[in-house]
Amino acid sequence: MNSNKQRRKELKAARSQRAKHQKQAKIAWQKRPPSGAIAVDHSKLAPNNSYTLPPDYYTDQPFTCRDCGVEEVWTAERQQWWCEVAKGSIFSTAIRCRACRKVERDRKAEARRIHLEGVAKKRARQQAGD
């Protein structure tokens, strides 16, 4: 049976070995990025509470539009804009094509407008009743 001091020494050695392997794997990945990939600027990413490390590269990702079923590609450039400029989640993916996104935005704007008109009418009735 090992003493606590010996056990701590074993754990420290195991952690050191694991960190060494992870570092080697990361260096190997950085040496050969996928073709058409764009490097991630980690300093520009929005904070996230994930234990998973964010990717080192943006790559083109194919997706099927949720609404119309059209197959499109979410380009690395658009991913970079989404994550680094718009501060979107690094783990999110595209689900709608550009045309369907516009339709959805318009639908939400109209619903918001109708809701706010109803709230304004309700307040006007309440103030008139006072």
Side-chain angles (χ1 to χ4, degrees), residues 47-76:
N48 64 60
N49 293 327
S50 175
Y51 289 110
T52 306
L53 292 174
D56 291 327
Y57 296 97
Y58 301 110
T59 57
D60 292 349
Q61 294 179 354
F63 70 96
T64 303
C65 178
R66 176 180 285 179
D67 296 338
C68 66
V70 172
E71 291 190 12
E72 291 200 5
V73 175
W74 193 25
T75 63

Side-chain angles (χ1 to χ4, degrees), residues 109-121:
E110 181 65 15
R112 189 176 302 114
R113 184 188 64 76
I114 291 170
H115 170 73
L116 292 175
E117 283 178 2
V119 169
K121 286 179 185 177

Side-chain angles (χ1 to χ4, degrees), residues 29-30 32-42 44-45 54-61 74-84 90:
W29 169 252
Q30 288 175 344
R32 48 186 156 81
S35 62
I38 298 175
V40 174
D41 185 355
H42 294 281
K44 292 183 179 179
L45 298 178
D56 291 327
Y57 296 97
Y58 301 110
T59 57
D60 292 349
Q61 294 179 354
W74 193 25
T75 63
E77 292 84 11
R78 295 302 298 165
Q79 290 175 51
Q80 183 181 30
W81 176 85
W82 171 250
C83 297
E84 296 178 7
I90 189 78

Side-chain angles (χ1 to χ4, degrees), residues 6-18:
Q6 292 170 330
R7 182 68 182 135
R8 282 194 305 271
K9 187 175 181 182
E10 290 171 2
L11 290 172
K12 187 174 181 181
R15 287 184 190 126
S16 174
Q17 189 69 15
R18 192 172 337 132

